[in-house]
Amino acid sequence: MERKSKINYYLDIAQTVTTRGTCLRKNFGAIIVRNDVIVSTGYNGAPRGRQNCCDMGDCLRDRLKIPRGERYELCRSVHAEANAIISASRENMLGADLYLCCVDPATGDLVPGTTCCQMCKRLVINAGIRRVFVRENGLDYSVYDVEDWVTNDDSLGQMGY
């Protein structure tokens, strides 16, 4: 019997967390792990007490044909990474790893090539998280060193500096 790697074990859990997502476009699941202890989980959905897009049957960003990665201020959802960070104390996130998975709610298929948006990158940096693992398919994943997000500040290019 071949034992599953810890990384894929945690990515499996993040993938399960996606099943709580309420977005009509993409469902994300995130877990924060420090010293082999799950600190918190998060999925994307409307803030507590507000209606979810899946309950309303409508996505404003879809209706307006807004491309992926643009105009997040129009989205009803709090992102999975943000919800996981909100649910954890900073001391439990310092040096931790974040595991992220994205699933297409229409097909149930994994969505490769995803990563944290600019807003969530800033949250991950400030939380003190060390690395982000993103599932690409059943066994493959990408690894992002958060320090690279600090030194290679890709938000500067978008602002024209």
Side-chain angles (χ1 to χ4, degrees), residues 2-154:
E2 189 174 330
R3 194 169 181 204
K4 184 176 292 246
S5 72
K6 279 191 179 181
I7 293 170
N8 274 305
Y9 166 73
Y10 290 129
L11 286 168
D12 285 350
I13 295 169
Q15 188 169 342
T16 299
V17 174
T18 69
T19 63
R20 289 286 303 151
T22 63
C23 181
L24 296 171
R25 292 178 87 154
K26 300 285 184 279
N27 284 323
F28 283 83
I31 67 168
I32 298 172
V33 177
R34 182 170 174 229
N35 297 327
D36 282 330
V37 174
I38 296 173
V39 173
S40 67
T41 68
Y43 55 88
N44 56 325
R48 295 180 199 279
R50 289 190 177 176
Q51 282 190 307
N52 291 298
C53 292
C54 66
D55 298 327
M56 297 183 327
D58 182 53
C59 171
L60 177 62
R61 293 179 70 231
D62 267 352
R63 194 169 3 111
L64 297 176
K65 298 181 179 15
I66 297 170
R68 175 181 172 220
E70 296 179 17
R71 305 291 315 267
Y72 282 126
E73 75 275 9
L74 297 177
C75 180
R76 294 187 67 75
S77 287
V78 176
H79 290 185
E81 305 96 314
N83 274 323
I85 290 168
I86 289 165
S87 297
S89 66
R90 178 156 162 75
E91 65 247 12
N92 285 331
M93 291 187 288
L94 293 172
D97 294 324
L98 186 142
Y99 296 82
L100 185 67
C101 186
C102 179
V103 171
D104 183 329
T107 65
D109 294 336
L110 289 167
V111 179
T114 59
T115 189
C116 301
C117 73
Q118 290 297 330
M119 294 182 305
C120 288
K121 281 182 180 181
R122 291 190 297 260
L123 295 173
V124 167
I125 290 167
N126 269 9
I129 291 169
R130 177 177 57 133
R131 293 179 299 187
V132 175
F133 295 86
V134 181
R135 175 157 276 169
E136 299 294 340
N137 60 43
L139 293 176
D140 297 323
Y141 52 87
S142 296
V143 183
Y144 299 92
D145 183 339
V146 175
E147 185 59 35
D148 289 342
W149 293 349
V150 174
T151 47
N152 303 315
D153 187 350
D154 55 359

